[in-house]
Amino acid sequence: MKFAPEYSCGTDSTLELLSLKAAVSIGTAKILRGGSRLLPQLAVGVTILLFGAYLWSSKYIGYTLSHDYTKIVEWDASEQEDGRADGGLRVVVFGGGDVATLSEASWQVEGPNAGWTEILCQQLDCALYLSFIPLIDNEGGAVVSNSLLEAAVTRTLSVDNDTFGGLDYSWLLEQYPIPSHQDLLHQIDAFLASPRPPRPPRETLWVFDIGFWDVWNLAALPRKLATHIIETQMQHVFSYIELLYDEAHNNESVAFSGYYAGVDLETAISTLPRPSFRIFIPKPFDVSLTPGFESARFAPPPPHTKAEQMRNAAFLTRHWDKVVQEMVNGWIRLPDPEEVNDDDDALSGIKDADLLLNKKNVKIGGISVPPARREAITYDTTGYIQELMVEWQLRNADLVDHNGVGSAAAAEGYSDVWEPCIKRYDVFDNSRSNSTGNATDSTPWSVCEAPEQHLFWTEFTVNRRAIFEIGSRAADVFRRHAEMDTEWLRKSQQPLASLRRGPDGAPLRAENSET
């Protein structure tokens, strides 16, 4: 599947629907005119029906948006390079979104719109894309755990709590209410409760786009408490990941991937590398660097300040990334499930269901297959945005640092890297008199005349060109990780070279080093 910058996920469908709309309008106009030309009118109606059926079955098998904003995009499965047809790659996305995720306001600008995870899917030519990220609205996005955040706020507001120096936090719950969106656990539950596809994917990439909106809320709390909440949240996140890992070994679960589909199982187990359970956790963008942190954030009463919360957000973003790296390093080193027969006496004394699951390997067709390898990809996908912002600021100040930053072209064509193109006037009250946008009393939005020249389209979301770049870079990271993983597996399967050398000077292999 090919993907060009000007077309995002669902772009062709949008253009085709516009064409269908035009056809329907023309056909309806002819029919409404009346007359005796019954056959031409029937021909127009049949043409419209056939054209609609073609659009329904041409490129997408399905494209739905459920009540909880879950997006499902499925493409026609294709044959693999070895001639074997299977389910291909599935991309499943959980979390709250970030600066490169679509928001409710993004649709104020005409044209195709897609988040970076959809671009990632397109670039990897995936067969199925599932996103459980709720649509970001005026209240923000989803967090890892609504209950943990609520507990932290309750502790901060407790009357008998003098831990925080007696500071007044009575404004906290009003200005930063507990999100109404599904948190991470409920998103995963919704996925596991969904029906199993008729043909499982060959491989699944699990994306956890988390942290952005968590830091937005936690920055208002005392820093020490917010730090502990992040550490507890990460424990919850990786317990959810391990739940998905266990479900991926259950051939009756929606999380299962048919890695060995279409091959001789006994031969494949000895020749193919073990399947991968691969997660992708991007580093969160520092929310304090967005225009919305200045314009949409509540100014707390003294002695609290917005500057204090900005420092908290920067610190918590770094701490979040640090904790994620530590948790990833521990997770990938977890021992594999042990292979034990179902009738083994060793299982008779195990009462805990989770421990029992970890003691058993998955079986396909009665044959026990090895457990999946835990693989993790972490990457600063949004570092590109910070580079643009620094470059633009240095050029404006006519400065160049020792790395040459500030000497490049004008930030890839952006004339403004701070002012958002789409302004919401219930937030930007002070800018109404200076705006040249097209907002009216009945429309709370104002859209600039040159959206592509603004790095930020909304106060929290960058434009489609930046989103495409972020998604493309994420796909490149995935490819490099997969290629490196395959190369190391190939080398590990080769016999070890001996220090002894043969008559030709080449090192002897382990199988022929003994004489």
Side-chain angles (χ1 to χ4, degrees):
M1 179 183 300
K2 302 299 182 182
F3 188 83
E6 61 270 18
Y7 294 105
S8 62
C9 182
T11 303
D12 290 350
S13 176
T14 303
L15 295 177
E16 290 169 346
L17 289 175
L18 290 175
S19 301
L20 178 60
K21 180 180 178 182
V24 171
S25 300
I26 296 173
T28 305
K30 289 185 177 180
I31 293 175
L32 291 177
R33 288 178 190 149
S36 59
R37 294 174 294 177
L38 178 60
L39 290 179
Q41 292 170 5
L42 290 175
V44 170
V46 172
T47 302
I48 293 173
L49 291 175
L50 293 176
F51 186 58
Y54 162 74
L55 294 181
W56 182 261
S57 61
S58 59
K59 184 173 182 178
Y60 300 116
I61 296 176
Y63 187 100
T64 63
L65 194 64
S66 70
H67 67 280
D68 60 353
Y69 310 117
T70 302
K71 183 179 289 185
I72 306 173
V73 181
E74 185 175 359
W75 287 273
D76 295 324
S78 57
E79 284 197 350
Q80 303 300 309
E81 294 180 357
D82 57 5
R84 173 171 51 88
D86 57 29
L89 172 67
R90 172 177 61 179
V91 176
V92 183
V93 187
F94 303 107
D98 56 19
V99 73
T101 304
L102 290 182
S103 68
E104 205 175 53
S106 301
W107 303 100
Q108 299 295 322
V109 177
E110 295 182 356
N113 287 302
W116 74 269
T117 54
E118 294 170 272
I119 305 299
L120 168 70
C121 177
Q122 289 266 10
Q123 292 285 300
L124 297 178
D125 198 16
C126 73
L128 180 62
Y129 173 84
L130 297 171
S131 177
F132 290 82
I133 296 180
L135 186 64
I136 300 172
D137 54 23
N138 295 344
E139 298 179 359
V143 297
V144 167
S145 173
N146 291 340
S147 59
L148 274 178
L149 182 59
E150 184 176 10
V153 172
T154 302
R155 172 170 170 73
T156 306
L157 295 177
S158 59
V159 178
D160 58 348
N161 180 23
D162 57 358
T163 307
F164 310 122
L167 295 177
D168 178 24
Y169 283 93
S170 59
W171 47 269
L172 192 61
L173 193 57
E174 178 183 355
Q175 299 301 328
Y176 301 97
I178 307 304
S180 58
H181 303 299
Q182 283 190 336
D183 59 12
L184 183 63
L185 175 61
H186 289 89
Q187 293 175 28
I188 293 176
D189 284 343
F191 167 73
L192 294 177
S194 59
R196 184 174 180 267
R199 179 172 53 186
R202 185 173 188 269
E203 182 182 359
T204 300
L205 176 62
W206 308 92
V207 182
F208 294 85
D209 194 2
I210 53 180
F212 185 77
W213 292 107
D214 297 85
V215 171
W216 167 265
N217 289 279
L218 294 175
L221 299 178
R223 180 181 293 188
K224 186 175 181 180
L225 176 60
T227 301
H228 291 322
I229 292 297
I230 287 178
E231 294 165 0
T232 305
Q233 281 180 323
M234 283 303 105
Q235 295 175 0
H236 283 220
V237 168
F238 279 87
S239 68
Y240 304 155
I241 292 175
E242 195 63 14
L243 170 64
L244 288 172
Y245 178 81
D246 291 339
E247 287 292 324
H249 291 83
N250 178 7
N251 13 359
E252 299 301 322
S253 172
V254 67
F256 180 76
S257 298
Y259 179 74
Y260 295 105
V263 297
D264 181 72
L265 196 55
E266 294 182 347
T267 304
I269 292 175
S270 59
T271 58
L272 292 177
R274 287 169 54 191
S276 297
F277 181 88
R278 188 175 282 115
I279 62 175
F280 194 112
I281 306 181
K283 177 181 178 180
F285 184 79
D286 185 354
V287 68
S288 67
L289 297 178
T290 62
F293 200 91
E294 172 63 28
S295 60
R297 196 170 185 86
F298 168 72
H304 306 282
T305 64
K306 192 179 292 187
E308 172 197 9
Q309 295 181 1
M310 182 176 292
R311 291 191 297 270
N312 286 347
F315 171 82
L316 294 175
T317 300
R318 293 192 299 270
H319 186 67
W320 183 286
D321 185 53
K322 175 177 175 292
V323 175
V324 167
Q325 296 294 340
E326 292 173 351
M327 295 294 293
V328 163
N329 292 335
W331 177 74
I332 60 178
R333 289 175 172 80
L334 289 177
D336 293 329
E338 300 175 10
E339 182 176 1
V340 181
N341 294 328
D342 291 344
D343 56 352
D344 199 308
D345 293 337
L347 298 180
S348 59
I350 298 178
K351 303 300 183 183
D352 185 85
D354 292 335
L355 181 59
L356 181 62
L357 180 62
N358 287 333
K359 289 290 183 182
K360 298 171 67 176
N361 277 4
V362 65
K363 287 189 175 182
I364 302 177
I367 301 177
S368 180
V369 300
R373 293 175 293 110
R374 295 177 177 86
E375 298 287 341
I377 305 174
T378 59
Y379 183 65
D380 185 10
T381 55
T382 56
Y384 159 77
I385 300 175
Q386 298 185 32
E387 295 171 5
L388 287 178
M389 298 176 71
V390 171
E391 181 74 41
W392 188 85
Q393 291 172 350
L394 289 176
R395 284 185 57 85
N396 270 9
D398 199 20
L399 296 174
V400 179
D401 71 357
H402 65 283
N403 292 321
V405 179
S407 60
E412 298 194 9
Y414 295 113
S415 62
D416 198 315
V417 299
W418 181 251
E419 190 76 11
C421 172
I422 305 172
K423 295 184 178 182
R424 180 161 50 97
Y425 278 137
D426 57 346
V427 171
F428 294 86
D429 289 331
N430 297 329
S431 63
R432 179 182 290 272
S433 59
N434 299 326
S435 173
T436 58
N438 53 3
T440 64
D441 293 337
S442 60
T443 305
W445 303 100
S446 171
V447 182
C448 66
E449 296 181 355
E452 296 297 337
Q453 295 183 15
H454 288 250
L455 176 61
F456 282 92
W457 272 10
T458 74
E459 61 264 41
F460 295 107
T461 308
V462 294
N463 72 6
R464 64 166 66 101
R465 184 151 53 98
I467 291 177
F468 178 83
E469 181 66 24
I470 291 170
S472 298
R473 292 189 178 199
D476 291 339
V477 171
F478 173 85
R479 293 190 191 97
R480 288 197 298 269
H481 179 90
E483 291 171 0
M484 185 181 300
D485 184 46
T486 303
E487 180 65 18
W488 278 110
L489 284 173
R490 185 185 63 81
K491 289 182 178 180
S492 66
Q493 293 172 349
Q494 293 178 350
L496 296 176
S498 171
L499 295 177
R500 299 176 58 187
R501 297 184 177 273
D504 57 353
L508 296 175
R509 294 293 179 181
E511 67 269 13
N512 57 9
S513 59
E514 297 182 0
T515 56

